[in-house]
Amino acid sequence: MWDQVTSSDRGNYGAAIALAAISFMLLRKWIAGGVCKSHARLDGRTVVITGANTGIGKETAKDMARRGARVVMACRDLTRAKNSAEYIRRSTGNGNVVIRHLNLASLCSVREFAKEFKATEERLDILINNAGVMMCPKCITEDGFETQLAVNHLGHFLLTNLLLGMLKRSSPSRIVNVSSVAHVGGKIEFDDLFFDKRPYSSLLSYKQSKLANVLFSRELAQRMKGTGVSVYCLHPGVIRTELNRHVLAWYPMLKTILSLPSMLLMKTPWQGAQTSIYCAVTEGLERKSGCYFSDCTEKDPSPEGKDDEVARRLWEESVRLVGLNNRH
């Protein structure tokens, strides 16, 4: 009798383990989201990716190189960028991968990058504004801007505008802005963009900067109609990258508590890069210019992300802040 009970229990345990394994695989597949299925080649094309030395930027750069593109990795940390570029060249067999210094927290650095790029490169087919910071302590850049809005929005705003001429000459071309679902509930506080008057909140600042990405994409798409330049923004997913390092520094216990759940419930950098890649290469996507994507599918942004009046006002204020002659 004992043997029979034990055998039955073992069968139940085995069934439970099998069910758990299947459930885990289905959960991981759901979390992974969409995968870019385009086999488009990019031979003869030039791609610029900001923040390409780590995380989803590195995976995006690797994919672009595998498709045959000339990849320009625009990075602040040149040592890490050099190591990543060597890895990408070696793993893809594409030696046409170069690094250029770009510090998005400095308008001077952005202008220097654009000046050098236009002087040395013949074309620009895809610009992927990938770099970003998340929920960092309040810091003020050399230009007097709060860091999250400066890096996540204003630096990319200036960079994109300075490279628009090359993008137009190389058309059909694309601009891909990496935003976040965190834009939901965000607000552009025009009277206090840099938290000079109110207590600083790293979360509210991050949400404002990610909403700015969505609104910038929407307004830019309108301005680029008829030029052959299309614009997309996206939420890459919740990913295991270094982007959350400031949150973990403030709450070190979270690193231990979240280590196992993060392995189970977060995307890998490769999975997180798929929507960026999708927006960059998928054929026939031009008619979706200005749209917001997640998991390689068009999604509705938040109501705040569809406010054309705020988008136009943000554009005008951004032009003033970065000192850009409004010719676009």
Side-chain angles (χ1 to χ4, degrees):
M1 177 65 72
W2 175 252
D3 289 342
Q4 290 178 347
V5 172
T6 301
S7 176
S8 176
D9 287 345
R10 287 174 179 172
N12 291 336
Y13 292 151
I17 292 172
L19 180 60
I22 293 171
S23 299
F24 173 75
M25 288 187 290
L26 290 174
L27 176 63
R28 286 299 306 156
K29 184 176 181 180
W30 177 75
I31 290 169
V35 174
C36 179
K37 298 180 181 179
S38 170
H39 298 291
R41 295 289 303 174
L42 297 175
D43 304 278
R45 309 283 182 87
T46 298
V47 181
V48 169
I49 307 172
T50 66
N53 65 313
T54 189
I56 65 174
K58 181 178 177 180
E59 290 294 339
T60 303
K62 182 179 177 182
D63 184 276
M64 299 293 108
R66 185 176 285 120
R67 294 173 187 270
R70 172 173 173 78
V71 179
V72 178
M73 301 170 63
C75 304
R76 181 178 58 84
D77 188 332
L78 292 182
T79 300
R80 297 185 67 183
K82 180 180 178 181
N83 293 335
S84 295
E86 290 175 352
Y87 161 75
I88 292 170
R89 294 186 199 107
R90 186 172 61 251
S91 62
T92 65
N94 183 349
N96 205 2
V97 177
V98 298
I99 59 174
R100 297 281 186 270
H101 181 258
L102 174 64
N103 178 7
L104 287 160
S106 165
L107 298 183
C108 180
S109 176
V110 174
R111 288 192 170 91
E112 284 298 313
F113 173 90
K115 180 180 178 181
E116 179 185 3
F117 185 87
K118 289 187 284 189
T120 58
E121 300 289 339
E122 297 180 355
R123 60 185 302 118
L124 175 57
D125 300 273
I126 303 171
L127 170 62
I128 303 177
N129 291 319
N130 165 82
V133 292
M134 175 182 173
M135 294 182 65
C136 56
K138 185 178 182 181
C139 294
I140 303 299
T141 70
E142 63 187 49
D143 303 294
F145 306 146
E146 184 273 325
T147 300
Q148 291 196 92
L149 191 65
V151 172
N152 295 349
H153 170 60
L154 291 172
H156 282 130
F157 177 87
L158 178 60
L159 176 67
T160 302
N161 274 281
L162 293 176
L163 297 179
L164 275 180
M166 290 193 75
L167 285 158
K168 290 175 182 177
R169 289 194 297 274
S170 306
S171 65
S173 54
R174 297 186 180 186
I175 299 166
V176 179
N177 295 319
V178 178
S179 181
S180 168
V181 71
H183 82 276
V184 176
K187 184 179 180 182
I188 308 297
E189 295 284 359
F190 289 105
D191 294 331
D192 191 19
L193 286 171
F194 306 126
F195 291 82
D196 296 322
K197 304 174 184 177
R198 54 195 164 125
Y200 179 70
S201 165
S202 60
L203 177 58
L204 293 181
S205 174
Y206 182 66
K207 291 171 77 68
Q208 176 179 245
S209 70
K210 294 290 101 178
L211 175 59
N213 295 152
V214 177
L215 294 171
F216 169 47
S217 303
R218 190 176 182 89
E219 178 67 13
L220 181 59
Q222 290 295 317
R223 292 171 180 258
M224 290 299 101
K225 282 185 176 179
T227 67
V229 181
S230 51
V231 188
Y232 315 94
C233 64
L234 63 102
H235 168 56
V238 181
I239 308 158
R240 297 197 300 271
T241 70
E242 299 175 359
L243 196 60
N244 62 0
R245 60 187 177 274
H246 294 294
V247 179
L248 296 180
W250 292 344
Y251 306 104
M253 282 298 294
L254 282 178
K255 188 171 185 178
T256 302
I257 295 170
L258 296 178
S259 58
L260 180 58
S262 71
M263 293 295 291
L264 300 178
L265 301 177
M266 292 184 180
K267 291 183 178 183
T268 65
W270 180 86
Q271 292 166 343
Q274 292 304 302
T275 306
S276 295
I277 297 166
Y278 174 89
C279 290
V281 304
T282 298
E283 301 89 338
L285 209 61
E286 288 77 13
R287 61 190 178 85
K288 297 291 186 179
S289 183
C291 292
Y292 173 79
F293 292 82
S294 178
D295 286 330
C296 299
T297 304
E298 182 187 356
K299 299 288 178 64
D300 261 343
S302 70
E304 300 90 346
K306 295 188 284 188
D307 191 323
D308 290 330
E309 182 178 348
V310 174
R312 283 191 296 271
R313 186 179 176 188
L314 176 64
W315 181 283
E316 293 166 0
E317 183 64 8
S318 299
V319 165
R320 185 187 70 81
L321 288 168
V322 304
L324 183 69
N325 183 15
N326 191 8
R327 294 169 295 174
H328 306 291

